Amino acid sequence: EYQRWKITHRLLGVSLLLAFLHVLTISGDLSSNLIQRLYLLTVMGIGLLAWFYRSLLHKWLVKRTPYRVKNVEHINEDILEIELSPTGKPITFDPGQFVFVRTRVKGISAEEHPFSITSAHGTNGLSFAAKSLGDYTKTLKLLKPDAEIYVEGPYGRFLFKRIGNVKQIWIAGGIGITPFLSMARSLSPNNSYTIVFFYTVSTMREAVFREEM
């Protein structure tokens, strides 16, 4: 299960801690070269701090922005696009980024899951699309308008505007089209980009956003 798999990632911090102690106690080049030793200890110390922050203290230190479900659109029997409206100050994101989403709706696990943002840049709301592939995504159909959603992020640097070349090739497979939806919806009619987009699916039925693109 996803949540059990996620616990194994958190336990990797224990391995990092043991490696840190190993570096401190062994004799060799590190013990005789002060600069090399300080460099490695600094890197490993930052890694341990990041692990404590993300895995052990995230419930108290990581910021989550409250939203409410505005609309749940059934694109087809497997795919939902969920539109959110902020209850306070909305997050600021760039097209191509993703967020972690958590809700407290009965029947839906309280665990966090990452989803690519599908809404256009500069909009007040936020939207994401999900395909019913696992235990968690299959329960998202229980979401109703006004349900509370907590959003963490945004994260990621999969940003088409970071690339200096205005001539680009985009390639998406299946539900992997979601970050490109945000990018495409953020383009204006008078933009200077020339983009060739390849949307690969097993059957035409799966090309759910083809007409919009």
Side-chain angles (χ1 to χ4, degrees):
E1 294 179 1
Y2 173 81
Q3 202 62 12
R4 292 182 181 179
W5 169 83
K6 196 172 179 180
I7 290 173
T8 64
H9 276 232
R10 291 179 179 172
L11 291 176
L12 289 175
V14 178
S15 301
L16 181 61
L17 178 60
L18 293 174
F20 185 75
L21 295 173
H22 177 67
V23 169
L24 283 176
T25 55
I26 62 172
S27 60
D29 292 341
L30 286 178
S31 59
S32 60
N33 189 321
L34 180 61
I35 294 177
Q36 202 175 49
R37 184 178 178 85
L38 288 175
Y39 168 74
L40 190 57
L41 291 178
T42 300
V43 171
M44 298 191 76
I46 292 172
L48 283 173
L49 287 174
W51 176 66
F52 275 109
Y53 170 76
R54 179 71 242 183
S55 297
L56 300 182
L57 304 176
H58 69 286
K59 289 184 179 180
W60 301 278
L61 298 181
V62 177
K63 181 183 177 182
R64 293 175 179 84
T65 305
Y67 280 78
R68 287 192 180 274
V69 175
K70 182 178 179 181
N71 183 51
V72 179
E73 182 179 357
H74 292 258
I75 306 298
N76 63 18
E77 60 269 28
D78 296 325
I79 297 176
L80 302 172
E81 186 165 25
I82 299 159
E83 186 180 355
L84 309 176
S85 58
T87 59
K89 184 179 179 181
I91 66 170
T92 302
F93 66 90
D94 291 316
Q97 291 191 299
F98 69 94
V99 292
F100 285 94
V101 171
R102 171 183 284 181
T103 184
R104 292 189 175 93
V105 175
K106 184 178 180 180
I108 302 178
S109 172
E111 63 199 40
E112 291 178 321
H113 276 258
F115 292 99
S116 294
I117 298 168
T118 59
S119 45
H121 176 69
T123 56
N124 190 45
L126 192 71
S127 63
F128 65 93
K131 185 175 183 180
S132 298
L133 294 172
D135 296 336
Y136 179 83
T137 49
K138 287 178 181 177
T139 63
L140 290 179
K141 61 180 179 290
L142 298 174
L143 283 174
K144 303 294 182 184
D146 288 332
E148 287 187 334
I149 297 281
Y150 294 89
V151 173
E152 178 198 328
Y155 297 112
R157 296 177 63 82
F158 184 57
L159 313 174
F160 78 102
K161 291 184 177 180
R162 287 183 61 236
I163 301 172
N165 195 346
V166 296
K167 294 183 178 180
Q168 300 181 11
I169 295 175
W170 296 357
I171 304 173
I175 195 61
I177 192 177
T178 49
F180 295 104
L181 283 174
S182 179
M183 297 180 195
R185 290 168 175 173
S186 301
L187 293 170
S188 59
N190 59 348
N191 73 87
S192 59
Y193 287 91
T194 301
I195 297 166
V196 179
F197 179 54
F198 293 91
Y199 186 15
T200 61
V201 291
S202 299
T203 65
M204 288 302 296
R205 174 183 158 278
E206 296 178 7
V208 289
F209 295 102
R210 178 175 61 93
E211 291 185 9
E212 180 180 357
M213 295 300 288

